[in-house]
Amino acid sequence: MGGNIPMKLKLTSIVLSAVMAAGPALADLVMPMLSYRTGAYAVNGIPFADGYNDYLTLMNERDGGVGGVKIDIQECETGYNTEKGVECYEALKGTGALVFAPLSTGITYQLIPKATADGIPVHSMGYGRTSAKNGKVFSNIFNFPANYWDGASIAIKHIMDLEGGDIKGKKITLLYHNSGYGKEPIRTLEELAKKHGFTYTGIAVDHPGQEQKSQWLQIRQNKPDYVLMWGWGVMNQVAIQEAANVRYPMDRFIGIWWSASENDTVPAGDGAHGYKGLALHNSGLDIPIYADLKTHVVDKGLAAGAGDQLGTVLYSRGMYNAFLLVEAIKTAQSLSGVAQITPAQMRDGMEALNITEDSMAAAGLPGFAPPFSVTCENHGGPGLGMVSQWDANAQKWNIITGLIASDMDVIQPLIDADSAAFAVENNIAPSCG
Amino acid sequence: MPDKFLFAMEVMLNGLMAGVLYSLVALGFVLIFKASGIFNYAQGVMALFAALTLVGIKDGQIPFAHLINAIFGTNIHHFGWHLPAFVAIIFTVIVMIGFAWLVQRFIFRHLVNQEPIILFMATIGLAYFLEGVGDLMWGSDIKKLDVGIPKGMNETIELLTYNRFGYGFFIDNLDIFATFLAVILVTVLVGFSQYTKQGRALRAVADDHQAALSVGISLGYIWVLVWSIAGVVALVAGTVWGAKSGVQFSLSLIALKALPVLMLGGFTSIPGAIVGGLIIGVGEKLFEFLVGPMIGGATENWFAYVLALVFLVFRPQGLFGERIIERV
């Protein structure tokens, strides 16, 4: 029996070492990534996760981390499933996680009270609860640089530009994923319909959206002047194919930024030519950062995926998300005077974030997206977007407009009302600082 | 003629076409259940796997390339060929036959005489295994499937209906193609079942395993045969659905569309799968068209099951299923 003790000690040591190696080192900046590389939405989740991971890996490999502290990427598979996303949060929150980027509106909604209570910031970039823009109520939730209500307003403004400023009497249909995400823009569109005099109609598509014949027959019969789409995953590909089938004019079919990637348009072939989508940022390989990514990440075999997604819209978005959070870390380090920041300091860094042309250029992303700053009153950024259009011949998205600002006269009252209701429900006294 | 009526006719026709697509998936379930009493949970994933294999072979993709690259530090992805669709389909059929043999050899051979629930559980395991292997083998990115299936509005039907009613009906060429495929498939399957030696053996096994064994029919052979046929049906379903949406994980979820069809048509009837598909297709489309807008839409997924449930209440064995009577 005595002879077994050293063996037990050895085994215990091995197990402990393995646990320590698997877990984050205490001196790292822990960055969780709630990704989905499996399931019905993996097609879109993979490039985003690759871009996010590769940018953070680049920081480690090229710059030795941020402020001299290495980043520890903790990826957790959610399968775009809200319950799994919450499990990931619970599993990772104790690791010193600085900020969560859930990549799901459903998960974001669940994390709002939890993360707020735990003092951990959540960044839902271009998704999530729109009224989280009001930082006086949602102290730990950030949704910069734009949200769904901005998206709805930007799409309507683009339509107004096309129609010479008058869309009174026009018929605009929203084809939406029948989920919290898909329903987000409805309220804004109803308000915008009142303001501009167009007729709004919503058509829901159930998960996953593989079969949309009824919806597109309705569209064919109703003949709306424009169709907006809030889709995700296979819903996008089928919708674009069905639009081509019923010969709906593609330049009158506009998707939110989550319905406007190469994955959505390529399967429909030439039929997708001219389809439009909103854009939060540029994409493509013609950006200086890719030289560094190739040298320090891809060529070293450290790329998160196969390296075949570089430059795509969703890879670019994941990379942009990581860039914004790295800049927030830098801001937090600068504010606190320490390199090893806490989640609370990260929150402060996100609230003081100032993205400038210079900071983007320094990161190898010159002109990639609009500059903006975050404040306590505005966790949602400037709400700017562009319109891009798919060129099936060149197999690429082209930005076809300048930056379009959302209609805050309509959106701000909605944000105020929704956030005020949340504050009452949760006994929150809105305040800054 | 009033617009509403014409629209409803158009919706009904499209419902029939959609029903054929559902039937294509349901057929695979029926074949395996009929021959072995196994409810094959993996049928949807088989459709995905078959479509992934078809695209992979056609485009010269190296199977398990990501895994090979990760282990050996290589950077290989493609063989550099683009095969004609016909050749790729033949190779894919061979792969599906190989898959059938593996399933029989390594799973069901060891589960003979087990309870149906055990066999069902085995197919659940098979589904998740196949899902993972498919991803590992061919990658999980979306793939464009172009095997020459026509797509888009059929102009002849549009013109004919316009001349007749003053409103041109929309029918997708892909749906018409799928209908022809389904007719051919059902004719071949029924012919095979009724007029060939193997078909008779298959029916004998379906009737009574023990009796079939006693007259020298090899259960293993029949199961490989039926899983191979189900694999080919999965390939047809995966190809048609993949042509609509690209080949991606969601293809495996088309099985959800087949379940109400099976409940309605019966688990043991090939014509039942077709008729069930048509009823579900028309029912869900008309309900969405007539009632959907009043209750917020997106009714198709649940209404198909409600419709199937209503039929179940009156005919538990489904419209064409065999009535099971157990006497004490």
Side-chain angles (χ1 to χ4, degrees):
Chain A
M1 198 168 166
N4 283 341
I5 292 171
M7 181 55 77
K8 280 183 181 170
L9 270 175
K10 274 183 198 170
L11 283 172
T12 310
S13 307
I14 290 167
V15 171
L16 278 175
S17 307
V19 170
M20 295 290 282
L26 291 176
D28 285 345
L29 298 165
V30 180
M31 293 286 280
M33 169 72 212
L34 306 193
S35 61
Y36 33 99
R37 295 179 180 276
T38 63
Y41 300 93
V43 166
N44 291 341
I46 290 169
F48 187 96
D50 285 355
Y52 188 92
N53 275 271
D54 285 353
Y55 187 84
L56 297 181
T57 305
L58 177 66
M59 293 299 103
N60 281 342
E61 294 299 311
R62 187 190 65 188
D63 304 343
V66 184
V69 185
K70 288 267 189 183
I71 296 169
D72 180 17
I73 309 162
Q74 292 284 315
E75 191 164 346
C76 186
E77 172 71 30
T78 70
Y80 197 60
N81 177 298
T82 301
E83 288 79 22
K84 281 190 194 169
V86 174
E87 283 173 22
C88 282
Y89 171 81
E90 294 294 344
L92 292 173
K93 72 177 185 184
T95 60
L98 290 181
V99 57
F100 279 85
L103 193 55
S104 152
T105 294
I107 299 172
T108 304
Y109 266 77
Q110 292 298 315
L111 294 192
I112 287 172
K114 288 176 182 289
T116 304
D118 294 332
I120 302 172
V122 171
H123 183 213
S124 55
M125 187 186 82
Y127 58 91
R129 184 169 186 142
T130 300
S131 62
K133 186 180 174 84
N134 183 355
K136 287 188 285 187
V137 173
F138 296 91
S139 58
N140 278 55
I141 316 301
F142 297 82
N143 55 5
F144 54 78
N147 56 55
Y148 292 136
W149 295 354
D150 292 325
S153 171
I154 290 164
I156 296 299
K157 276 197 164 181
H158 175 62
I159 292 170
M160 289 178 74
D161 285 344
L162 295 176
E163 296 289 338
D166 182 13
I167 54 174
K168 194 170 182 184
K170 297 285 178 193
K171 290 195 282 188
I172 298 177
T173 290
L174 171 70
L175 186 75
Y176 63 94
H177 194 270
N178 196 24
S179 63
Y181 150 61
K183 291 173 182 172
E184 274 280 328
I186 292 175
R187 203 168 159 204
T188 311
L189 287 171
E190 286 170 347
E191 291 299 319
L192 288 166
K194 280 184 213 160
K195 179 174 178 178
H196 298 295
F198 64 86
T199 306
Y200 159 78
T201 311
I203 299 180
V205 176
D206 255 343
H207 161 85
Q210 195 98 41
E211 169 60 30
Q212 298 177 30
K213 196 70 80 191
S214 302
Q215 288 80 2
W216 281 95
L217 285 176
Q218 281 182 58
I219 288 170
R220 183 168 183 264
Q221 290 161 1
N222 295 338
K223 295 186 176 63
D225 295 288
Y226 292 89
V227 174
L228 307 180
M229 175 160 70
W230 254 247
W232 191 226
V234 70
M235 177 185 157
N236 292 341
Q237 292 102 45
V238 173
I240 293 169
Q241 180 63 61
E242 292 289 4
N245 288 348
V246 302
R247 296 192 202 131
Y248 190 82
M250 279 296 171
D251 57 351
R252 289 171 172 258
F253 186 18
I254 306 166
I256 183 67
W257 38 73
W258 299 113
S259 301
S261 74
E262 294 83 354
N263 289 339
D264 303 323
T265 46
V266 167
D270 292 343
H273 187 74
Y275 169 69
K276 289 178 176 176
L278 303 184
L280 293 171
H281 50 77
N282 286 303
S283 58
L285 288 167
D286 192 20
I287 301 168
I289 195 171
Y290 283 109
D292 280 355
L293 272 170
K294 188 171 184 310
T295 306
H296 298 285
V297 180
V298 179
D299 289 351
K300 285 185 182 176
L302 298 173
D308 56 352
Q309 296 290 328
L310 274 67
T312 63
V313 169
L314 289 172
Y315 183 94
S316 305
R317 188 155 314 145
M319 191 172 71
Y320 183 47
N321 197 161
F323 158 73
L324 294 177
L325 293 177
V326 165
E327 294 305 303
I329 292 174
K330 289 177 185 170
T331 308
Q333 289 172 333
S334 171
L335 286 174
S336 63
V338 294
Q340 182 66 58
I341 56 168
T342 63
Q345 288 163 336
M346 179 68 180
R347 194 214 74 87
D348 294 344
M350 291 175 77
E351 201 163 75
L353 184 64
N354 186 22
I355 300 294
T356 62
E357 292 286 5
D358 287 344
S359 60
M360 283 189 286
L365 296 163
F368 189 71
F372 68 91
S373 57
V374 183
T375 63
C376 166
E377 291 81 7
N378 181 4
H379 279 194
L384 295 169
M386 301 169 280
V387 179
S388 57
Q389 190 165 32
W390 177 247
D391 181 342
N393 302 316
Q395 294 281 290
K396 64 183 284 227
W397 285 95
N398 297 314
I399 302 287
I400 58 166
T401 68
L403 288 165
I404 301 172
S406 58
D407 185 348
M408 290 310 291
D409 291 343
V410 170
I411 295 173
Q412 194 60 51
L414 295 176
I415 289 171
D416 292 343
D418 196 65
S419 55
F422 182 85
V424 170
E425 285 167 21
N426 294 276
N427 286 326
I428 296 169
S431 69
C432 276
Chain B
M1 227 178 274
D3 283 352
K4 189 86 174 172
F5 180 72
L6 288 175
F7 290 164
M9 274 178 67
E10 184 184 32
V11 168
M12 197 181 76
L13 277 175
N14 277 278
L16 285 171
M17 297 292 181
V20 172
L21 289 178
Y22 302 161
S23 299
L24 280 179
V25 189
L27 271 177
F29 283 95
V30 168
L31 284 168
I32 290 179
F33 190 83
K34 202 172 156 62
S36 57
I38 299 171
F39 178 77
N40 180 23
Y41 183 84
Q43 189 64 33
V45 186
M46 278 170 66
L48 167 67
F49 181 76
L52 279 171
T53 305
L54 176 61
V55 180
I57 290 174
K58 185 173 179 294
D59 294 345
Q61 202 184 334
I62 297 172
F64 301 108
H66 294 327
L67 189 66
I68 294 167
N69 292 338
I71 294 172
F72 300 107
T74 50
N75 188 25
I76 54 169
H77 293 287
H78 287 84
F79 290 113
W81 73 55
H82 284 276
L83 294 177
F86 179 68
V87 177
I89 288 170
I90 289 172
F91 278 115
T92 308
V93 168
I94 293 170
V95 170
M96 295 313 287
I97 292 170
F99 167 75
W101 182 82
L102 288 171
V103 167
Q104 154 63 14
R105 176 73 182 76
F106 293 105
I107 301 175
F108 292 108
R109 201 169 89 159
H110 305 284
L111 297 176
V112 174
N113 281 336
Q114 294 294 322
E115 291 292 317
I117 188 69
I118 303 292
L119 300 174
F120 174 61
M121 291 295 178
T123 66
I124 292 179
L126 177 66
Y128 285 103
F129 175 74
L130 193 59
E131 198 178 294
V133 167
D135 268 4
L136 204 60
M137 204 166 164
W138 303 113
S140 43
D141 51 320
I142 190 165
K143 293 169 180 67
K144 186 181 172 189
L145 178 59
D146 188 3
V147 288
I149 297 178
K151 285 193 277 188
M153 190 187 301
N154 185 288
E155 293 181 4
T156 310
I157 291 175
E158 188 195 18
L159 190 67
L160 284 173
T161 48
Y162 184 81
N163 288 340
R164 177 73 182 80
F165 304 116
Y167 173 73
F169 284 12
F170 167 81
I171 301 287
D172 192 346
N173 279 318
L174 184 139
D175 291 344
I176 296 171
F177 180 82
T179 305
F180 278 117
L181 263 184
V183 169
I184 293 168
L185 209 56
V186 169
T187 308
V188 169
L189 285 173
V190 170
F192 172 80
S193 170
Q194 300 291 335
Y195 303 112
T196 67
K197 190 178 160 189
Q198 286 81 6
R200 283 194 293 273
L202 197 148
R203 284 192 291 145
V205 170
D207 279 349
D208 190 326
H209 286 187
Q210 295 291 347
L213 280 169
S214 69
V215 295
I217 295 171
S218 162
L219 198 59
Y221 169 72
I222 291 298
W223 279 13
V224 170
L225 183 68
V226 80
W227 276 80
S228 299
I229 297 171
V232 172
V233 173
L235 172 62
V236 173
T239 305
V240 173
W241 281 88
K244 266 166 85 100
S245 61
V247 178
Q248 54 180 312
F249 174 87
S250 307
L251 266 187
S252 64
L253 303 177
I254 58 176
L256 296 174
K257 285 288 182 186
L259 288 182
V261 174
L262 293 167
M263 288 160 70
L264 202 150
F267 281 77
T268 53
S269 167
I270 291 172
I274 301 294
V275 176
L278 297 180
I279 294 173
I280 291 288
V282 172
E284 68 174 25
K285 294 283 179 287
L286 277 179
F287 187 82
E288 173 70 22
F289 173 71
L290 296 169
V291 184
M294 290 181 253
I295 57 173
T299 61
E300 286 163 287
N301 279 0
W302 62 263
F303 182 75
Y305 284 89
V306 170
L307 196 59
L309 263 177
V310 170
F311 273 83
L312 266 188
V313 168
F314 295 101
R315 273 189 74 85
Q317 71 274 33
L319 279 178
F320 294 84
E322 291 160 14
R323 193 163 191 184
I324 301 162
I325 302 170
E326 290 189 10
R327 299 183 202 283
V328 178

